[in-house]
Amino acid sequence: MVEKQGTGQANTEAPLPAAIYAERVTKAFGEGKKKVLALDDVSLTIEENEFFTLLGPSGCGKTTLLRLIAGFDQPTAGAIMLRDRDISQLPPNQRSVNTVFQDYALFPHMTVAKNISFGLEMLGKPKDYIKKTVGDMLALVKMEELRDRRTDQLSGGQQQRVALARALAPRPQVLLLDEPLSALDYKLRKEMQIELKQLQLETGITFIFVTHDQEEALTMSDRIAVMNAGRILQIGTPRQIYNQPADRFVASFIGRSNFISVEVLSVEGRRARLKLSSGREVISPLPDNWVPRGRVTAVVRPEYAQLVAGSGDEGDLQGVLENIVYLGTDTQYHIRLPDETTFVTRSQNQCQETEAFEDGQSVSVVFKPEAVQVLRS
Amino acid sequence: MRIPKAASNPVSDMQRSRTRKNWLLSAPALVVLAAASSGPLLIVLVYSFLSAGEYGGVVWKFSTDAWFNVVFFRDIFDGTTTFADAHMTILWRSVRLSFITTLITLAAGFPTAYFIATRPRRNRSLWLFLITVPFWTNLLIRTFAILEVIRNEGLINIGLQTLGIIDKPIQMLYTDFAIMVGMTYVYLPLMVLPLYASMERLNFSLVEAAYDLYATRHKVLHRIIIPLVKPGIIAGSILVFIPSLGAFVTPRVLGGGKKMMLGNLIELQFGAGRNWPLGAALSVTLLALVMAALLMYVRTTQRHSGSVR
Amino acid sequence: MIPFIKKRPPFSLKRQPGFGLIAGLCFVMLYAPIITLVVYSFNAGKYISPWEGFSLQWYVAAWGNEAVQDATMRSLFLAVQAGIYSTVLATMAALGTTRTRPFRGLMAIYAMINQPLMVPEIVTAVALLILFAMIKSLTGIQGMFYLVIAHTAFCIPFAYLPIRARLEGMDLNLETAAADLYATPWKTFWRVTLPLLFPGIIAGSMLAFVISLDDVVITEFIKSSGQETLPTYMLGQLRRVVTPEINAISTVLLGLSISVVCLLFFVERRSRK
Ligand SMILES: Nc1ncnc2c1ncn2[C@@H]1O[C@H](COP(=O)(O)OP(=O)(O)OP(=O)(O)O)[C@@H](O)[C@H]1O
Ligand SMILES: [Mg+2]
């Protein structure tokens, strides 16, 4: 650490330190029998200017991790670094990190403008600087007209904007957002998703965004960390997470998945030669740090598979069409395979399409070899 | 015209009969309260405009003497009129001591309520219980307990003497200080309870937000917590101020006959003073002061729940 | 930018410096005088202090004191009656003022019920003194009746509060369900509403009992001669040189109030679980 001290000031050639670096962070609540491991040995690196999303089901520890970064709680073990500085023991008012709270936590006894200026006042900024920044922030979130409104007289979307402006005003190094959109209705949520992303690009501040909505995570993030039960299961770009889910949980949590049992014939580097139950052999990429052996589970996304009437080629999965679900933009087909599992395919609807299949019909499922992704287990 | 009216009748009839039932249920309590609590207050007002009887009681003759006597003093011998200094002293003492008591209970009660409100949820009711227990015990006994602590042979003086800090007891009993200590002691729970109620409702994520925005502990207290629990502060202050103003037992026991408050002055008029109309006028004065305080309270709470500060 | 970070206790968001200390002092101050009073009730000496050894003699003295016996009986008699009457009245009023659409006069009823809490006791005492003196001189009727009605009146708001709170927390559907099962309104009241309301009624009546038992000011003003209650008897005694007998009486009275309040606390805790 001592050697790196100079880097922040002049040495621009050296790579920027990570915005946030969490090293083997563990957080336990309670004692003895009631002990809950909210975070279990979590490590992650979040780069400067990144839109980073923590995604996971309720109770997986997302808020806990955010609160540790913000400084509201201290880790039981491990360290959190902000641009190379260990902040684990620093109180929240000494960290250049701001939070947009899940319930916004706007000060009800202050106006919109007062809320936004609060952080700047606490930092002891000069009056005219505060005035200018508040004006800029109000413009940024398009709330100029409501600057003297009390915050309890605002709609949900407006409160959301004020919370954003308030957290952005001190220009923190990292902005934490805890499910900021969950209280909004669907349409407003969609709008705010775009605005948030836009804001992140404009300000260049690192965003750490928490959500349990996979669609939100996929559309907004540069990278996503999928969490479950206090652990990080996979970190990657939305594409990586979707196309190469690391394990069964990630695969089923994000999008729909068909799980099929495959046999590993051989492993060559990061690829494996697999044999499907129908007898076909395919080559597919492997998740990191994982050498499969014997029978393993693989995933095939419904939209990567197609339905063909009749028995198809040799080696295709055969089955009986059990159910057709019309979804407007596309149609889902539920196929019962010989081993009594259900396989789902999905195809986009075309205009003037006539019903090509019917229930009870014998069908086969076709997909490309790349569609098969082996899962860690 | 008639048909819609007839159609709406069953509903409004039902509503009306329900209202009648509600009134009937409340009536007995209201009658008792009217007879033995609010009604008699009117009689006090009437009495304040009558002439004093020679041996107590009143003579049914209209007179403003009592009200005159509240403020002025007429010498029986030379007939000169002066300001009723004694009354003014007592009135001033009542207001001043009540005010100081309110301030002290606030200074002590605020941290206490905050302390309770920040305990783990399952322990809070126990702490709160510890505050309420003295409140539900006899006021006279609590005042008596204070008397034992501060009198010349009391705990404090004996303690200080054994420690050699003083060599003769400090006279605390029968002073304004004694009354103030006593009122602070007996009314402290009245301050803590409403303060706690508003602190318990305090959304602590606002405190987190303030720390997140670089506020220090001091700033969090002054800019966030105190403004947000202001309704509790006002309610607690009113709850302490009003009974302090009308205090009777505490000044009587701890102030002796020397340091009187309004309540004792009133009692005096119905006892040894034998001037019932003056006592009545003083009672009305006290009631007016209390009502003014209450009105101010209602005003401020309305303003707080209303628009921008 | 110095990598060395001083080890300090974890930052607590809720802590405010000194608050715990002040709170601790408050709790000590609240209880220290009461505890002193209780301790000295066991003093063997002739005066309250100094301490001259443990003895129960003052309890024995109080027990044998006819004036104390008399005042105790009167206090209990008064508190029980005022407790019962005010609870009945408050229960009816609570039934009439909760879970109803706002009707005209509702606010007035609230104000009326809470009025004794707002007016200084001394003013009410004076008012009752005047009223009762008038009635007595007009009709010549004497007796405990005056004390009972006065106590009942100022106990009503205390009995009303917990009963109303209980009613408001009650599920209206239960009564609708009973009515749905062919219970008449009267039956519904006796079999459903009243049993559910019971904890509130118990709490209300106990509070009323304690409040009546503790009253000094109003009783002091309106009692006729020979109608001393325990508190007014003690107030009278305080004018003289006090012996630990007062401490002994106080301790018993304290014990009674505190056990009632403790009982309430634990009953409420259990009913919430
Ligand atoms: N203060 C606390 N005391 C005890 N347990 C806690 C505390 N805070 C969180 N937990 C536990 O830690 C686990 C993780 O909680 P956390 O709030 O981080 O979940 P989350 O991922 O944010 O969930 P959600 O999506 O519902 O907000 C949960 O099992 C929760 O019960
Ligand atoms: Mg959460």
Side-chain angles (χ1 to χ4, degrees):
Chain A
M1 257 190 96
V2 180
E3 292 153 48
K4 281 187 188 170
Q5 255 192 50
T7 52
Q9 289 148 12
N11 196 348
T12 44
E13 274 97 271
L16 274 171
I20 291 285
Y21 173 54
E23 189 185 15
R24 310 206 59 171
V25 171
T26 297
K27 176 71 186 175
F29 288 110
E31 300 270 302
K33 261 192 176 170
K34 281 195 233 157
K35 186 161 148 174
V36 180
L37 265 189
L39 289 177
D40 187 3
D41 198 11
V42 165
S43 295
L44 87 164
T45 309
I46 298 169
E47 301 298 341
E48 206 67 49
N49 301 348
E50 199 172 16
F51 196 117
F52 191 91
T53 298
L54 298 173
L55 175 64
S58 191
C60 71
K62 307 178 298 282
T63 299
T64 305
L65 181 54
L66 226 53
R67 289 175 61 85
L68 292 184
I69 298 174
F72 303 141
D73 286 319
Q74 283 76 35
T76 313
I80 296 172
M81 323 277 271
L82 174 68
R83 286 200 189 151
D84 269 356
R85 184 176 175 210
D86 187 345
I87 56 168
S88 314
Q89 301 303 323
L90 228 49
N93 53 10
Q94 290 173 32
R95 305 182 179 200
S96 181
V97 170
N98 288 146
T99 308
V100 176
F101 289 81
Q102 188 162 3
D103 59 353
Y104 311 140
L106 296 178
F107 304 128
H109 58 298
M110 297 181 192
T111 62
V112 168
K114 275 277 162 203
N115 264 279
I116 297 174
S117 68
F118 188 86
L120 298 167
E121 283 175 46
M122 293 300 119
L123 285 172
K125 298 279 188 219
K127 278 233 163 59
D128 41 348
Y129 173 81
I130 294 179
K131 207 172 153 206
K132 186 181 163 298
T133 311
V134 170
D136 291 349
M137 285 299 142
L138 284 166
L140 192 68
V141 296
K142 308 185 191 74
M143 290 281 293
E144 289 107 320
E145 287 91 67
L146 299 176
R147 61 174 298 144
D148 293 321
R149 204 52 103 69
R150 252 173 49 155
T151 52
D152 48 10
Q153 298 163 347
L154 298 176
S155 72
Q158 289 165 339
Q159 290 186 14
Q160 160 72 72
R161 281 160 213 262
V162 178
L164 254 174
R166 183 179 73 174
L168 283 171
R171 288 208 64 86
Q173 289 168 11
V174 176
L175 187 73
L176 309 176
L177 303 102
D178 192 356
E179 305 196 24
L181 307 181
S182 62
L184 306 181
D185 62 43
Y186 182 79
K187 191 159 163 287
L188 200 53
R189 196 155 70 222
K190 290 281 148 202
E191 281 172 29
M192 284 306 297
Q193 284 176 7
I194 296 167
E195 276 187 43
L196 259 184
K197 184 76 196 173
Q198 194 63 36
L199 262 178
Q200 196 258 334
L201 291 175
E202 276 171 34
T203 55
I205 291 174
T206 309
F207 276 34
I208 305 180
F209 183 86
V210 163
T211 184
H212 57 241
D213 179 343
Q214 41 144 325
E215 193 186 324
E216 204 166 272
L218 292 174
T219 51
M220 297 171 76
S221 323
D222 294 329
R223 283 195 308 150
I224 299 173
V226 183
M227 295 180 68
N228 188 33
R231 291 167 179 275
I232 291 187
L233 302 179
Q234 188 176 8
I235 301 180
T237 63
R239 235 165 247 284
Q240 284 169 341
I241 298 276
Y242 189 79
N243 286 337
Q244 290 140 38
D247 63 12
R248 195 174 175 125
F249 179 86
V250 177
S252 58
F253 189 71
I254 293 163
R256 270 206 80 128
S257 300
N258 293 299
F259 295 109
I260 54 175
S261 174
V262 297
E263 196 185 331
V264 181
L265 298 177
S266 62
V267 177
E268 297 135 27
R270 302 268 16 99
R271 304 183 148 266
R273 192 176 183 80
L274 310 169
K275 187 172 173 203
L276 308 186
S277 62
S278 57
R280 170 166 300 175
E281 290 182 11
V282 296
I283 294 177
S284 90
L286 288 175
D288 293 345
N289 314 323
W290 170 249
V291 181
R293 209 170 291 133
R295 281 215 156 283
V296 294
T297 307
V299 63
V300 178
R301 298 289 188 188
E303 65 275 18
Y304 294 165
Q306 258 158 14
L307 207 56
V308 185
S311 53
D313 295 342
E314 194 190 338
D316 287 342
L317 292 174
Q318 312 277 329
V320 178
L321 186 54
E322 206 175 39
N323 202 355
I324 302 174
V325 183
Y326 180 72
L327 294 168
T329 56
D330 43 36
T331 307
Q332 272 183 10
Y333 300 96
H334 294 238
I335 301 120
R336 180 148 295 258
L337 299 181
D339 60 356
E340 293 301 308
T341 56
T342 304
F343 194 100
V344 179
T345 72
R346 196 160 80 183
S347 58
Q348 197 139 38
N349 291 331
Q350 311 292 328
C351 60
Q352 295 179 340
E353 192 182 31
T354 49
E355 190 66 74
F357 300 97
E358 55 189 60
D359 291 359
Q361 189 180 348
S362 283
V363 289
S364 52
V365 180
V366 187
F367 45 80
K368 291 185 184 155
E370 304 87 78
V372 181
Q373 171 70 30
V374 181
L375 299 173
R376 215 179 326 173
S377 53
Chain B
M1 276 266 279
R2 271 181 138 177
I3 295 159
K5 219 177 181 180
S8 71
N9 251 347
V11 178
S12 72
D13 267 2
M14 215 164 96
Q15 180 62 31
R16 209 171 302 145
S17 87
R18 216 174 269 157
T19 304
R20 181 158 356 106
K21 200 185 92 195
N22 287 339
W23 272 104
L24 280 177
L25 278 168
S26 314
L30 298 184
V31 167
V32 170
L33 284 164
S37 192
S38 5
L41 295 179
L42 286 178
I43 307 181
V44 179
L45 186 64
V46 172
Y47 260 51
S48 72
F49 288 104
L50 296 178
S51 315
E54 212 164 316
Y55 304 106
V58 288
V59 177
W60 282 86
K61 204 175 79 191
F62 178 82
S63 156
T64 52
D65 277 359
W67 285 102
F68 182 82
N69 284 334
V70 170
V71 192
F72 300 107
F73 176 76
R74 184 177 287 142
D75 199 299
I76 332 168
F77 301 108
D78 58 11
T80 54
T81 299
T82 51
F83 232 36
D85 283 341
H87 290 182
M88 289 303 127
T89 310
I90 289 170
L91 188 66
W92 173 232
R93 179 181 296 121
S94 296
V95 173
R96 183 168 45 100
L97 289 184
S98 304
F99 194 69
I100 297 174
T101 301
T102 308
L103 285 185
I104 297 175
T105 51
L106 181 59
F110 190 94
T112 308
Y114 187 84
F115 173 82
I116 299 174
T118 51
R119 291 311 92 194
R121 188 169 291 280
R122 62 179 185 287
N123 297 344
R124 277 184 220 162
S125 61
L126 194 64
W127 285 107
L128 206 61
F129 176 68
L130 285 178
I131 289 284
T132 38
V133 165
F135 178 65
W136 291 116
T137 59
N138 196 316
L139 180 102
L140 179 64
I141 294 178
R142 279 183 291 153
T143 309
F144 175 51
I146 283 289
L147 179 134
E148 291 200 356
V149 172
I150 63 173
R151 70 206 175 94
N152 287 1
E153 305 82 35
L155 213 57
I156 293 179
N157 274 320
I158 300 266
L160 290 178
Q161 273 169 311
T162 20
L163 287 177
I165 297 173
I166 52 173
D167 38 55
K168 64 176 189 302
I170 306 168
Q171 174 70 38
M172 285 183 281
L173 205 53
Y174 311 135
T175 62
D176 285 359
F177 174 76
I179 299 176
M180 193 201 70
V181 169
M183 293 203 302
T184 304
Y185 178 64
V186 294
Y187 297 133
L188 182 64
L190 287 176
M191 179 61 87
V192 176
L193 296 179
L195 274 175
Y196 168 76
S198 58
M199 280 178 194
E200 205 208 1
R201 259 178 283 137
L202 182 70
N203 178 0
F204 268 95
S205 68
L206 296 176
V207 171
E208 284 178 0
Y211 279 121
D212 192 53
L213 293 163
Y214 316 106
T216 57
R217 281 195 200 281
H218 182 78
K219 288 268 199 258
V220 168
L221 182 62
H222 283 262
R223 300 278 305 261
I224 306 297
I225 297 175
I226 290 180
L228 287 175
V229 301
K230 212 166 197 171
I233 295 177
I234 298 173
S237 303
I238 288 292
L239 280 184
V240 171
F241 187 77
I242 288 181
S244 301
L245 206 57
F248 168 72
V249 172
T250 310
R252 161 132 165 216
V253 173
L254 298 176
K258 288 188 220 155
K259 303 289 178 184
M260 278 199 268
M261 284 179 58
L262 213 44
N264 311 97
L265 183 61
I266 292 171
E267 190 214 9
L268 190 67
Q269 305 313 319
F270 285 91
R274 295 186 192 285
N275 193 340
W276 286 31
L278 177 58
L282 288 167
S283 301
V284 175
T285 310
L286 175 58
L287 196 57
L289 285 175
V290 166
M291 289 301 144
L294 272 177
L295 209 67
M296 230 159 69
Y297 168 62
V298 173
R299 274 275 190 78
T300 44
T301 44
Q302 268 170 1
R303 200 174 57 230
H304 275 286
S305 56
S307 57
V308 189
R309 299 191 314 141
Chain C
M1 284 298 277
I2 301 165
F4 171 71
I5 285 162
K6 203 169 59 191
K7 193 76 190 165
R8 53 182 137 186
F11 185 82
S12 159
L13 293 156
K14 295 188 166 177
R15 218 180 77 81
Q16 285 289 341
F19 276 29
L21 185 73
I22 298 177
L25 278 177
C26 271
F27 282 106
V28 171
M29 303 273 262
L30 273 180
Y31 284 92
I34 298 181
I35 291 169
T36 315
L37 179 138
V38 171
V39 168
Y40 278 100
S41 72
F42 298 106
N43 192 358
K46 210 165 167 224
Y47 303 103
I48 291 171
S49 58
W51 178 255
E52 287 178 22
F54 180 87
S55 145
L56 288 174
Q57 62 165 319
W58 295 111
Y59 287 87
V60 177
W63 182 254
N65 184 335
E66 252 174 56
V68 174
Q69 284 173 11
D70 184 50
T72 308
M73 288 318 291
R74 191 170 292 106
S75 272
L76 287 176
F77 168 79
L78 196 56
V80 167
Q81 284 206 43
I84 292 173
Y85 300 151
S86 62
T87 305
V88 171
L89 297 179
T91 306
M92 289 168 66
L95 285 168
T97 52
T98 48
R99 309 189 299 171
T100 161
R101 238 185 282 171
F103 55 92
R104 198 188 301 172
L106 183 61
M107 275 323 191
I109 297 182
Y110 283 153
M112 186 82 173
I113 288 174
N114 288 313
Q115 173 267 329
L117 300 178
M118 291 184 279
V119 174
E121 246 190 314
I122 182 85
V123 176
T124 311
V126 163
L128 288 173
L129 168 70
I130 295 175
L131 177 73
F132 291 162
M134 269 163 86
I135 296 177
K136 281 174 193 168
S137 74
L138 283 178
T139 64
I141 301 173
Q142 296 283 340
M144 284 294 285
F145 161 79
Y146 298 102
L147 281 172
V148 172
I149 189 171
H151 277 233
T152 302
F154 69 70
C155 286
I156 286 175
F158 290 95
Y160 176 78
L161 279 173
I163 298 173
R164 182 186 153 169
R166 179 83 194 171
L167 263 174
E168 283 188 335
M170 245 164 70
D171 191 351
L172 252 179
N173 288 332
L174 292 172
E175 281 150 308
T176 320
D180 191 49
L181 295 167
Y182 317 109
T184 60
W186 193 238
K187 275 230 173 85
T188 306
F189 177 75
W190 279 106
R191 303 278 297 270
V192 180
T193 315
L194 205 59
L196 282 172
L197 196 51
F198 206 64
I201 294 179
I202 292 291
S205 59
M206 285 184 171
L207 286 188
F209 176 80
V210 169
I211 290 292
S212 163
L213 196 65
D214 287 350
D215 180 71
V216 200
V217 183
I218 291 177
T219 316
E220 172 75 8
F221 272 73
I222 62 176
K223 70 176 183 356
S224 314
S225 59
Q227 289 189 338
E228 296 282 4
T229 62
L230 213 43
T232 61
Y233 171 78
M234 285 168 54
L235 185 66
Q237 292 298 305
L238 285 184
R239 289 206 190 124
R240 312 185 190 157
V241 178
V242 282
T243 63
E245 188 180 332
I246 293 284
N247 293 46
I249 300 170
S250 299
T251 303
V252 173
L253 209 50
L254 272 178
L256 190 59
S257 300
I258 292 179
S259 28
V260 168
V261 178
C262 286
L263 202 72
L264 266 183
F265 177 74
F266 289 110
V267 165
E268 199 198 331
R269 252 203 165 175
R270 285 205 38 199
S271 75
R272 229 186 305 147
K273 267 175 193 165

